[in-house]
Amino acid sequence: MSNISEIMTGKDLFRLKALFEPVKLNSGASVEYTGVFQVIQRDYGLGRLISGKLKLTPEDIRKVRSLVKKQSGFDLLCDPIPSSRTEASRFFSNEKIANTAVKGKVVKVYGVISTNINGRTYCLEEGMVVEMPFDLLVSIQHPTIVLVENYEAFRQFRDAKLDLPMNPLIVYRGDIEGGVISKDFALKFPEAQLIAWFDADPAGISFALASDASMMIVPDLSEDQLKDHGRSSLFDNQHRNWERVSGAIPPKLQQLMSGVGKGITQESMLENGVDLVLHPIGMDLQLIE
C-alpha cells in the first residue's frame, strides 16, 4: 500500500488542498482520476469512480485529511503549502513539492541545431541556452520537445547516444529556484511530440509518466554496465514504488534493474557512453502526476 506523502508531487498537493474549500467540505467533490487520487481510490478505497472521475463525499475528504496527516504530519486543512525545500522536507520525501506558481516559472531551452521560439530563430553557441519566464514562451517551432530532469544532462544533451528527429527543443525540467516544468509543456504545446528523459530509477520513471510525454528515453544497458555504473541507493531507497512504475519501461530493462538492484543517473549514462533508446509511454501506465 502506497504512502501518499512519499509519492506526492507539488501539483498533487495543490489538488488535495483544493478539496478543503468550504463548499467541497460540505457537499463533496468530483476530481480527475489521475495522480494521487488514483492512489487514494486504489489503495485506500476512498471515493467512487463515476464516468471517469472520482467522486468524494465530505466523509471521504475528512478521511483523506486524516490519512495525509497520519503519514506526513501535514494538515491539509490548516497548514499552508510549504514555500521552501527546507519547510517541505519536514513533511514530504519530495522536497521539490514547495510552492512555485506556474506563472512565475522560468524555463531554460535550446535547440540542438537552432532554437526556434516565438516566431524567431536563434543560433546559439554550444553551452548557451535561452532562459525566460514560462508565460512569455508563446510558441515553439519544433516538432519534438525533450524534457530533461537534471541540469547537467540538459546542458550536455548533444553528447547523448540517441537517434532523434532533427533539431528537437531541449527543455530543462526545472528546480525549486526557477520552478518545475512538468506537465506544463504538454498542456501548452499539445501539437509537439513530448519526450521525457529522467534518471532510470523509480522516482525518475514516475516523473516521466507524470509529464504527459508520449515517449521516454531509457538506457539500453548490459548487466556489466549497470553493475559498474549504476547506484544501489537509487533503487533501494525507492524500492517501495518500483512495482507501481516498473511496467512502464521495457521488460529487458525492468528485469535487469530488478536483478542487479541498481538504478542509473542521466549523468552516468552520458559519462559512460550508454546507448539510449526511445520507449513509448502507455496512457494506462501514467499513475502519478
Coordinates of all heavy atoms in Angstrom, one line a residue, residues 15 20 32 34 45 47 57 66-67 69 83 102 118 133 159 175 185 190-191 194 196 202 206 222 231 243 258 265:
R15 N -4.0 20.1 -5.5 CA -5.3 19.4 -5.8 C -5.9 19.0 -4.5 O -7.1 19.1 -4.3 CB -5.1 18.3 -6.8 CG -4.7 18.7 -8.2 CD -4.4 17.5 -9.1 NE -5.7 16.9 -9.4 CZ -5.7 15.6 -9.9 NH1 -4.6 14.9 -9.9 NH2 -6.9 15.1 -10.2
F20 N -10.5 21.3 0.4 CA -10.9 21.8 1.6 C -11.5 23.2 1.5 O -11.5 24.0 2.5 CB -9.7 21.7 2.6 CG -9.3 20.3 2.9 CD1 -8.5 19.6 2.1 CD2 -9.9 19.7 4.0 CE1 -8.2 18.3 2.4 CE2 -9.7 18.4 4.3 CZ -8.8 17.6 3.5
E32 N -10.5 14.7 -11.2 CA -9.9 13.9 -12.3 C -9.2 12.7 -11.6 O -8.5 12.9 -10.6 CB -8.9 14.7 -13.1 CG -9.5 15.8 -13.9 CD -10.4 15.3 -15.0 OE1 -10.2 14.2 -15.5 OE2 -11.3 16.1 -15.4
T34 N -6.6 11.0 -11.6 CA -5.1 10.9 -12.0 C -4.3 11.2 -10.8 O -4.8 11.6 -9.7 CB -4.8 12.0 -13.1 OG1 -5.2 13.3 -12.6 CG2 -5.5 11.7 -14.4
G45 N -9.4 2.8 -1.0 CA -10.8 2.6 -1.2 C -11.7 3.8 -1.0 O -12.9 3.7 -0.7
G47 N -13.7 7.2 -2.2 CA -14.4 7.7 -3.4 C -15.0 6.6 -4.3 O -14.7 5.4 -4.1
T57 N -17.1 12.0 -1.1 CA -18.1 12.6 -0.2 C -17.3 13.4 0.8 O -16.1 13.4 1.0 CB -18.8 11.5 0.5 OG1 -17.9 10.8 1.3 CG2 -19.4 10.5 -0.5
S66 N -7.1 13.0 7.4 CA -6.6 12.2 8.4 C -5.4 11.3 7.9 O -4.4 11.1 8.6 CB -7.7 11.3 9.0 OG -7.2 10.5 10.0
L67 N -5.6 10.7 6.8 CA -4.6 9.9 6.2 C -3.3 10.6 5.9 O -2.2 10.1 6.3 CB -5.1 9.3 4.9 CG -4.2 8.3 4.2 CD1 -4.0 7.0 5.0 CD2 -4.9 7.9 2.8
K69 N -2.3 13.4 7.2 CA -1.7 13.9 8.5 C -1.0 12.8 9.2 O 0.1 13.0 9.8 CB -2.8 14.6 9.3 CG -2.3 15.3 10.6 CD -3.4 16.0 11.3 CE -2.8 16.8 12.5 NZ -3.8 17.6 13.2
S83 N 6.8 26.8 1.4 CA 7.3 27.8 0.5 C 8.8 27.6 0.2 O 9.4 28.3 -0.6 CB 7.1 29.2 1.0 OG 7.7 29.3 2.3
V102 N 2.9 28.5 -11.5 CA 3.3 28.2 -12.9 C 3.7 29.6 -13.6 O 4.6 29.6 -14.4 CB 2.1 27.6 -13.7 CG1 2.4 27.5 -15.2 CG2 1.9 26.2 -13.2
N118 N 8.9 31.6 -30.4 CA 8.2 32.8 -30.6 C 8.4 33.4 -31.9 O 8.5 34.7 -32.1 CB 8.7 33.8 -29.5 CG 8.2 33.4 -28.1 OD1 7.4 32.5 -27.9 ND2 8.7 34.1 -27.1
P133 N 10.8 33.8 -18.7 CA 9.6 33.4 -17.9 C 8.7 32.5 -18.8 O 8.6 32.7 -20.0 CB 8.9 34.7 -17.6 CG 10.0 35.7 -17.7 CD 11.0 35.2 -18.7
D159 N 25.6 15.2 -26.3 CA 26.5 14.1 -26.2 C 25.8 12.8 -26.0 O 26.4 11.7 -26.0 CB 27.4 14.3 -25.0 CG 28.3 15.5 -25.2 OD1 28.7 15.9 -26.3 OD2 28.7 16.1 -24.1
D175 N 13.8 23.5 -11.3 CA 14.1 23.2 -9.9 C 13.3 24.1 -9.0 O 12.5 24.9 -9.5 CB 15.6 23.3 -9.6 CG 16.2 24.5 -10.1 OD1 15.5 25.6 -10.1 OD2 17.3 24.5 -10.6
F185 N 4.5 21.8 -20.5 CA 4.8 21.8 -21.9 C 3.7 21.0 -22.7 O 3.3 21.4 -23.7 CB 6.2 21.4 -22.2 CG 7.2 22.5 -22.3 CD1 7.7 23.1 -21.2 CD2 7.6 23.0 -23.5 CE1 8.6 24.1 -21.2 CE2 8.5 24.0 -23.6 CZ 9.0 24.6 -22.5
P190 N 0.4 21.1 -27.1 CA 0.0 19.8 -27.4 C 0.3 19.3 -28.8 O 0.3 18.0 -29.0 CB -1.5 19.8 -27.1 CG -1.9 21.3 -27.4 CD -0.7 22.1 -26.9
E191 N 0.6 20.2 -29.7 CA 0.9 19.7 -31.1 C 2.2 19.1 -31.2 O 2.5 18.4 -32.2 CB 0.7 20.9 -32.1 CG 1.8 22.0 -32.0 CD 1.6 22.9 -30.8 OE1 0.6 22.8 -30.0 OE2 2.5 23.8 -30.6
L194 N 6.2 15.1 -27.2 CA 6.9 15.4 -26.0 C 7.6 14.1 -25.6 O 7.0 13.0 -25.4 CB 6.0 15.8 -24.8 CG 6.7 16.2 -23.5 CD1 7.7 17.3 -23.7 CD2 5.6 16.6 -22.5
A196 N 10.3 12.4 -22.7 CA 10.8 12.6 -21.3 C 12.1 11.8 -21.1 O 12.2 10.7 -21.4 CB 9.8 12.3 -20.3
P202 N 13.1 4.4 -9.8 CA 11.7 4.5 -9.6 C 11.1 5.9 -9.6 O 10.1 6.2 -10.2 CB 11.4 3.8 -8.3 CG 12.5 2.8 -8.2 CD 13.7 3.5 -8.8
S206 N 8.6 7.6 -12.5 CA 7.4 8.3 -12.0 C 7.3 9.7 -12.6 O 6.2 10.1 -13.1 CB 7.4 8.4 -10.5 OG 7.4 7.1 -9.9
S222 N 23.8 -3.2 -20.7 CA 24.2 -4.5 -20.4 C 24.3 -4.7 -18.9 O 24.3 -3.7 -18.1 CB 25.6 -4.9 -20.9 OG 26.6 -4.1 -20.3
R231 N 23.8 2.8 -9.3 CA 23.9 3.0 -7.9 C 22.7 2.3 -7.2 O 21.6 2.5 -7.6 CB 23.8 4.5 -7.6 CG 25.0 5.3 -8.0 CD 24.8 6.8 -8.1 NE 24.0 7.3 -6.9 CZ 23.6 8.5 -6.8 NH1 23.8 9.4 -7.8 NH2 22.9 8.9 -5.8
E243 N 7.3 -1.5 -8.0 CA 6.3 -2.4 -8.6 C 5.2 -1.5 -9.3 O 4.6 -1.9 -10.3 CB 5.6 -3.3 -7.6 CG 6.5 -4.4 -7.1 CD 5.8 -5.3 -6.2 OE1 4.5 -5.2 -6.0 OE2 6.4 -6.2 -5.6
S258 N 15.8 -5.0 -11.7 CA 15.3 -5.9 -10.6 C 16.4 -6.8 -10.1 O 16.7 -7.1 -8.9 CB 14.1 -6.6 -10.9 OG 13.0 -5.8 -11.1
T265 N 21.9 7.2 -13.2 CA 21.5 8.6 -13.4 C 21.8 9.0 -14.8 O 22.5 8.3 -15.6 CB 22.4 9.5 -12.5 OG1 23.8 9.4 -12.8 CG2 22.2 9.1 -11.0

